[in-house]
């Protein structure tokens, strides 16, 4: 049987992901990144948002573990 602490950690992880996907733009970004690596500029153009706004959304997704910044540039991928 799982410990209470394990369950709490799992529920907390679900909440982090749910918060990250609470924005329609972030959910759309996950779908765009699932198709392949994108620069922030390319992702912004695909979802019709500013680069600054898209960058903020990508940071939220990265903190939730849903995107990863590629070290060789300003690209992100779906994790």
């Amino acid at each position: 049987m799982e410990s209470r602490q394990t369950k709490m950690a799992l529920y907390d992880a679900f909440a982090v992901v749910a918060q990250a996907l609470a924005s329609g733009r972030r959910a759309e970004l996950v779908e765009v990144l699932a198709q392949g690596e994108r620069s922030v500029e390319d992702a912004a153009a695909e979802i019709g948002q500013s680069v600054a706004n898209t960058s903020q959304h990508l940071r939220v997704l990265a903190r939730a573990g849903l995107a990863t910044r590629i070290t060789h540039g300003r690209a992100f991928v779906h994790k």
Side-chain angles (χ1 to χ4, degrees):
M1 186 161 130
E2 292 184 32
S3 72
R4 176 82 178 132
Q5 289 177 333
T6 302
K7 285 183 182 180
M8 289 173 53
L10 180 62
Y11 295 142
D12 289 344
F14 285 150
V16 168
V17 170
Q19 275 185 319
L21 294 176
S23 162
R25 295 300 66 75
R26 289 193 293 266
E28 185 178 13
L29 276 170
V30 169
E31 190 261 330
V32 166
L33 295 176
Q35 297 172 20
E37 181 179 313
R38 300 286 194 285
S39 68
V40 176
E41 292 82 4
D42 289 345
E46 284 194 51
I47 67 168
Q49 296 287 301
S50 70
V51 170
N53 193 23
T54 301
S55 182
Q56 290 295 321
H57 285 311
L58 288 167
R59 283 190 198 116
V60 171
L61 292 173
R63 280 194 302 268
L66 297 173
T68 302
R69 186 179 184 110
I70 303 299
T71 57
H72 65 270
R74 297 184 60 186
F76 280 81
V77 294
H78 176 59
K79 195 169 185 180

